[in-house]
Amino acid sequence: CLAAGRAISLPALSRATAERALWVAATYAQVRTQFSLPIGRFEAVADHVAHLAATALTLRAAQALAVGAVDKG
């Protein structure tokens, strides 16, 4: 069924996109320096990366919930 396929693919795509954004942001925060420090050491940047991590974790749970619901019918 088309709805079941979308119930699996949309959360999976959202999760993958969030995890990739987290990876890019965390890597950039480690590489980019300001005042001879990686910008990831600054509180504002660390807070944004942590928010991305929380969002990725939430999307992982939403995907698991959606797949479980489709599996149960």
Side-chain angles (χ1 to χ4, degrees):
C1 177
L2 185 59
R6 287 184 181 158
I8 294 171
S9 65
L10 290 177
L13 181 61
S14 297
R15 184 191 118 198
T17 303
E19 287 179 352
R20 183 64 175 180
L22 172 61
W23 181 83
V24 168
T27 302
Y28 183 75
Q30 292 174 355
V31 173
R32 170 80 163 84
T33 59
Q34 185 69 37
F35 309 116
S36 300
L37 291 171
I39 63 169
R41 303 253 327 253
F42 297 113
E43 185 177 1
V45 175
D47 285 347
H48 283 289
V49 173
H51 181 71
L52 281 172
T55 300
L57 186 60
T58 302
L59 289 171
R60 180 181 290 254
Q63 181 190 10
L65 185 66
V67 169
V70 169
D71 191 38
K72 288 184 180 180

